[in-house]
């Protein structure tokens, strides 16, 4: 797919509409201003838009947007023309790039580049392609694949692609996880464990994955100030209740509403050498540690992916393996073995083209690996 600027999108859309009008309804084409027809329908006229100087681009963009608006208005009441696919593209471009005004002399104003949505038309020749600031124009593909991490059985294990979904480039990876799980569930290929990149591992996805009996293992997004104490530095009971602060002081009061409020005695906190680093806040009678259920879940996940856990152990250290993506190893080293195992598929993916462009827009948006009904990995 050829990458077009805003002038190219406007001019190509008008050109496409006029070509279709000429083929199917010459009488209606004859009602259009001859200058407009010559400007966009002839090769010489259309070619001028590819040679616009940067200093003249704003003026040219204003002119082509006005021409497009006039065409939309001219055929708005013509049911036959308005039903044409190329006419609907004109309406889409107008909506994507312009705001209507009440000024008769200037009925439209161009949107600022930042105001244009990522799902706007990128090329009239490929109307389903969208834009992502990270991936560019085109599409992405979400792929689920099985793998084996047992070095002894690895060579004998069959790796299978269990889910493929081609999406517009602007779609968020966070929205791809649950449909992928549901797809494999319908095929009786659902994994027990799923290891993913951070974007797929939102708290909502973790909770929804549990509903499908899938354990989602993912790095937790966001950073933590290492010089500050967090919820995970407190001690918890087997039921997940706070039983002591990092200094071993038990709570004096506990409230559970929309947020959990754990009150600690003022005399303990005032004299604590760690008060400046502690997340507790001074209240009327107590110093409070406040958090929601979601904040607690995220804190537990962050702790289990980076360090040994004190959660549900009453302070006893229990060793848990860190999530692969949270180690100091480069991503290429972490996933290298999987990439090597799937080299045939990788080669196929990067040379599969849709409408003149790689369907994954230069990268793989999602890969899942793991034994069927065993482990899986997304990256």
């Amino acid at each position: 797919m050829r990458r077009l600027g805003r002038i190219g999108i406007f001019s190509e859309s008008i050109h496409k509409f006029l070509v279709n009008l000429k083929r199917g309804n010459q009488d209606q084409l004859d009602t259009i201003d001859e200058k407009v027809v010559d400007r966009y329908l002839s090769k010489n006229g259309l070619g001028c838009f590819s040679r616009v100087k940067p200093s003249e681009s704003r003026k040219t963009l204003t002119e082509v947007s006005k021409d497009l608006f006039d065409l939309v208005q001219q055929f708005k009441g013509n049911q036959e023309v308005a039903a044409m696919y190329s006419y609907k593209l004109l309406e889409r471009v107008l909506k994507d790039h312009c705001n209507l005004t009440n000024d008769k002399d200037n009925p439209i104003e161009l949107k600022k580049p930042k105001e244009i949505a990522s799902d706007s038309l990128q090329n009239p020749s490929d109307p389903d392609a969208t834009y992502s600031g990270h991936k560019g124009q085109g599409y992405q593909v979400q792929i689920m694949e099985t793998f084996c991490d047992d070095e002894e059985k690895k060579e004998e294990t069959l790796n299978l692609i269990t889910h493929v979904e081609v999406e517009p480039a602007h779609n968020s990876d966070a929205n791809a996880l649950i449909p992928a799980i549901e797809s494999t569930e319908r095929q009786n290929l659902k994994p027990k464990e799923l290891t993913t990149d951070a974007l797929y591992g939102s708290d909502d996805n973790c909770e929804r994955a549990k509903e499908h009996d899938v354990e989602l293992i993912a790095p937790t997004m966001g950073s933590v100030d290492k010089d500050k104490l967090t919820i995970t530095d407190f001690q918890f009971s087997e039921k997940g209740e706070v039983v002591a602060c990092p200094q071993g002081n038990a709570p004096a009061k506990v409230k559970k509403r929309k947020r959990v409020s754990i009150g600690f005695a003022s005399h303990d906190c005032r004299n604590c050498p760690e008060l400046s680093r502690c997340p507790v806040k001074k209240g009327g009678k107590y110093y409070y540690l406040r958090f929601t259920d979601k904040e607690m879940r995220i804190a537990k996940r962050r702790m289990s992916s980076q360090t040994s856990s004190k959660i549900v152990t009453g302070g006893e250290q229990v060793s848990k393996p860190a999530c692969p993506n949270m180690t100091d190893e480069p991503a290429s080293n972490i996933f290298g073995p999987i990439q090597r195992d799937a080299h045939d598929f990788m080669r196929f993916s990067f040379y599969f083209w849709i409408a003149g462009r790689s369907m994954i827009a230069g990268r793989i948006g999602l890969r899942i690996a793991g034994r069927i009904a065993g482990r899986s990995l997304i990256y």
Side-chain angles (χ1 to χ4, degrees), residues 291-347:
F291 54 86
T292 63
D293 290 341
K294 179 178 179 179
E295 289 170 340
M296 175 55 70
R297 290 194 299 268
I298 292 174
K300 287 180 179 179
R301 287 178 51 222
R302 179 175 285 113
M303 182 173 60
S304 64
S305 66
Q306 292 178 317
T307 64
S308 297
S309 176
K310 290 186 290 185
I311 297 294
V312 302
T313 65
E316 181 183 354
Q317 293 292 329
V318 176
S319 178
K320 288 188 178 182
C323 181
N325 289 36
M326 298 305 294
T327 68
D328 293 330
E329 295 291 331
S332 58
N333 291 345
I334 296 169
F335 298 114
I338 301 170
Q339 292 172 341
R340 287 196 295 274
D341 285 348
H343 68 278
D344 290 336
F345 170 73
M346 294 283 285
R347 184 159 55 246

Side-chain angles (χ1 to χ4, degrees), residues 83-119:
M84 293 172 56
Y85 183 71
S86 55
Y87 175 83
K88 295 185 183 300
L89 288 182
L90 294 184
E91 291 183 312
R92 179 180 173 185
V93 173
L94 184 65
K95 181 180 179 182
D96 289 344
H97 292 267
C98 302
N99 291 319
L100 299 181
T101 69
N102 295 323
D103 190 340
K104 294 182 179 180
D105 296 328
N106 298 293
I108 59 172
E109 62 178 9
L110 289 165
K111 292 181 180 179
K112 296 178 181 179
K114 291 183 179 180
E115 296 176 348
I116 301 173
S118 57
D119 62 349

Side-chain angles (χ1 to χ4, degrees), residues 251-265:
K253 186 176 183 180
V254 177
K255 286 183 180 180
K256 291 184 179 180
R257 293 179 182 174
K258 291 184 178 180
R259 291 194 303 170
V260 178
S261 296
I262 310 295
F264 292 91

Side-chain angles (χ1 to χ4, degrees), residues 170-227:
H170 76 286
N171 281 16
S172 172
D173 288 340
N175 298 327
L177 182 78
I178 301 305
I181 292 176
E182 292 173 344
S183 173
T184 55
E185 191 171 34
R186 289 191 295 269
Q187 302 174 69
N188 295 321
L189 300 175
K190 182 183 69 177
K192 292 180 180 179
E193 294 180 358
L194 201 55
T195 305
T196 76
D197 263 350
L199 280 176
Y200 300 96
S202 66
D203 180 70
D204 181 61
N205 277 349
C206 288
E207 293 302 297
R208 294 181 65 187
K210 285 181 183 179
E211 296 175 2
H212 293 274
D213 296 322
V214 174
E215 181 181 356
L216 183 59
I217 304 170
T220 306
M221 294 190 69
S223 60
V224 176
D225 189 345
K226 294 182 179 180
D227 295 329

Side-chain angles (χ1 to χ4, degrees), residues 261-299:
S261 296
I262 310 295
F264 292 91
S266 295
H267 62 83
D268 289 332
C269 291
R270 277 198 305 266
N271 301 318
C272 179
E274 299 289 349
L275 179 60
S276 62
R277 300 176 58 228
C278 190
V280 297
K281 300 296 181 182
K282 185 178 180 180
K285 296 182 179 180
Y286 304 96
Y287 280 73
Y288 287 97
L289 172 69
R290 294 185 174 94
F291 54 86
T292 63
D293 290 341
K294 179 178 179 179
E295 289 170 340
M296 175 55 70
R297 290 194 299 268
I298 292 174

Side-chain angles (χ1 to χ4, degrees), residues 12-153:
E12 291 285 351
S13 298
I14 295 174
H15 172 75
K16 187 179 183 72
F17 170 69
L18 295 179
V19 168
N20 290 340
L21 202 60
K22 181 178 180 180
R23 290 173 179 172
N25 202 327
Q26 182 67 45
D27 293 340
Q28 294 299 330
L29 181 67
D30 293 338
T31 65
I32 301 174
D33 189 327
E34 292 184 4
K35 292 182 180 180
V36 173
V37 175
D38 184 64
R39 187 181 305 143
Y40 296 96
L41 201 54
S42 67
K43 292 183 179 180
N44 292 336
L46 187 62
C48 293
F49 294 109
S50 62
R51 299 189 293 271
V52 177
K53 296 179 181 180
S55 59
E56 299 177 355
S57 60
R58 182 69 184 183
K59 178 181 178 182
T60 303
L61 183 57
T62 301
E63 291 174 352
V64 295
S65 63
K66 181 65 166 57
D67 290 338
L68 186 142
F69 173 76
D70 289 341
L71 289 172
V72 170
Q73 290 298 107
Q74 180 176 345
F75 295 103
K76 192 173 184 179
N78 189 314
Q79 293 184 357
E80 183 181 0
V81 176
M84 293 172 56
Y85 183 71
S86 55
Y87 175 83
K88 295 185 183 300
L89 288 182
L90 294 184
E91 291 183 312
R92 179 180 173 185
V93 173
L94 184 65
K95 181 180 179 182
D96 289 344
H97 292 267
C98 302
N99 291 319
L100 299 181
T101 69
N102 295 323
D103 190 340
K104 294 182 179 180
D105 296 328
N106 298 293
I108 59 172
E109 62 178 9
L110 289 165
K111 292 181 180 179
K112 296 178 181 179
K114 291 183 179 180
E115 296 176 348
I116 301 173
S118 57
D119 62 349
S120 62
L121 184 72
Q122 302 299 306
N123 190 315
S125 298
D126 192 359
D128 293 327
T130 59
Y131 177 79
S132 165
H134 181 60
K135 302 169 220 135
Q137 293 176 322
Y139 303 84
Q140 65 183 12
V141 63
Q142 306 288 355
I143 301 172
M144 179 178 285
E145 181 190 26
T146 65
F147 89 110
C148 177
D149 57 359
D150 189 326
E151 293 296 331
E152 296 181 358
K153 299 180 180 180

